Amino acid sequence: MSLLHRSPEAARLDSRREFIKKAAAGSLLVALGGGLYRLASDDLTRAARAQKRRDGRPRLPPGQKVIEELRPMGGEAGSARTDDFRLKIHGEVERPFTIDWKQLLAMPVTQQVADVHCVTTWSLLGATWTGVQLKYLAERAGVKSGARHVIFEAAHGYTANVRLDEALRPDVLVAYELNNKPFPRRHGAPVRGLVPDLYFWKSAKWLTGIKFVQKDEPGFWETRGYHNHADPWREERYG
Ligand SMILES: Nc1nc2c(c(=O)[nH]1)N[C@H]1C(S)=C(S)[C@@H](COP(=O)(O)O)O[C@H]1N2
Ligand SMILES: [Mo]
């Protein structure tokens, strides 16, 4: 019998029965969760589209949608143990050096709110990132005048290249906390790069080195079809 031919009361009872059955099976809660999540995300996306950054650019780059939590995007993880951590600052510098975890924590701390944009079209807005400015490490090492690019080096040979002038911006960090907590291993613990204004693949997880070079060295994704520069506002997604 079609629901149309029944009293509203009976239809309501029926859908209530359906509701309980699905909830017991777990499927309804998943559907509800997904539905609510999409609603929140749509609202955040709409709100962000109406906002402008201090530099005048729209808060949300074209083709991006806002998500509420950092999404793990994989990669071959390095050790998350702080005892294993070493960061080598080298290449075109006067005074190369290597620091361990304690030495990193002893350096001047920068805490900032920053937005990040993944090439797969999600953006995470307004998270708090804590770490040491790459600019500070560069000054300590004494970057030679011929250097033009910075190579972020990570576990298992992952690299990402960033132009020197962009890498020296004050919001580029060697980061060790997200929202005042250490990174989970899948997000790059103990230390990852943060280059908020380029697509997120430039933010290398499980960071092991910062290398200054004269000649550009396209990295892991840049040699696999992705754009060498990766500006989200110009949608520099593919090379
Ligand atoms: N070492 C390393 N860093 C990496 C990657 C990787 O595979 N290995 N993936 C990059 C890509 S493609 C993205 S989108 C972000 C994802 O970071 P998340 O997993 O914390 O969201 O990390 C970037 N950093
Ligand atoms: Mo990515």
Side-chain angles (χ1 to χ4, degrees):
M1 193 209 261
S2 142
L3 281 180
L4 271 176
H5 295 129
R6 303 169 63 187
S7 71
E9 194 58 40
R12 215 172 294 131
L13 270 174
D14 245 14
S15 65
R16 192 178 141 73
R17 227 168 276 136
E18 238 352 71
F19 185 99
I20 291 165
K21 221 163 65 193
K22 281 188 181 158
S27 63
L28 186 71
L29 292 176
V30 171
L32 263 179
L36 289 175
Y37 177 80
R38 184 165 316 126
L39 256 183
S41 173
D42 284 352
D43 286 345
L44 291 169
T45 300
R46 235 188 321 272
R49 288 228 170 94
Q51 291 169 15
K52 275 217 165 28
R53 297 161 39 113
R54 279 202 216 147
D55 62 13
R57 289 189 279 182
R59 175 101 190 253
L60 199 62
Q64 296 295 112
K65 290 188 287 286
V66 179
I67 58 165
E68 289 166 273
E69 249 185 53
L70 196 57
R71 196 168 289 172
M73 300 300 283
E76 207 180 330
S79 169
R81 294 186 57 228
T82 54
D83 280 354
D84 293 339
F85 173 74
R86 297 287 182 283
L87 186 72
K88 190 174 156 188
I89 315 298
H90 63 128
E92 291 292 308
V93 294
E94 306 289 350
R95 300 172 295 278
F97 61 91
T98 299
I99 52 171
D100 63 15
W101 177 247
K102 271 181 77 175
Q103 290 168 312
L104 178 68
L105 294 195
M107 288 179 165
V109 183
T110 293
Q111 192 166 63
Q112 65 187 19
V113 172
D115 300 342
V116 296
H117 312 286
C118 178
V119 72
T120 62
T121 76
W122 59 255
S123 293
L124 178 76
L125 307 184
T128 299
W129 301 81
T130 306
V132 172
Q133 287 179 330
L134 188 136
K135 184 172 145 53
Y136 172 81
L137 297 169
E139 278 161 13
R140 271 206 37 182
V143 178
K144 292 185 183 169
S145 60
R148 291 288 175 273
H149 306 269
V150 175
I151 311 302
F152 289 82
E153 301 172 317
H156 309 290
Y158 184 95
T159 59
N161 56 326
V162 176
R163 248 170 40 204
L164 180 64
D165 62 315
E166 297 187 305
L168 294 181
R169 286 184 188 158
D171 61 354
V172 173
L173 302 185
V174 166
Y176 49 81
E177 279 180 6
L178 173 61
N179 293 330
N180 293 300
K181 286 191 287 266
F183 290 111
R185 185 174 188 222
R186 65 184 181 281
H187 290 302
V191 173
R192 75 180 296 165
L194 176 70
V195 188
D197 284 356
L198 297 177
Y199 280 123
F200 203 33
W201 82 74
K202 298 284 190 183
S203 296
K205 302 188 276 190
W206 313 291
L207 194 66
T208 59
I210 304 286
K211 184 173 72 170
F212 296 85
V213 294
Q214 297 193 2
K215 211 171 141 282
D216 198 8
E217 294 178 14
F220 183 87
W221 288 114
E222 295 81 6
T223 54
R224 285 167 176 77
Y226 286 85
H227 200 283
N228 195 53
H229 182 228
D231 181 341
W233 285 269
R234 296 175 171 197
E235 287 204 73
E236 293 172 343
R237 298 177 191 272
Y238 308 105

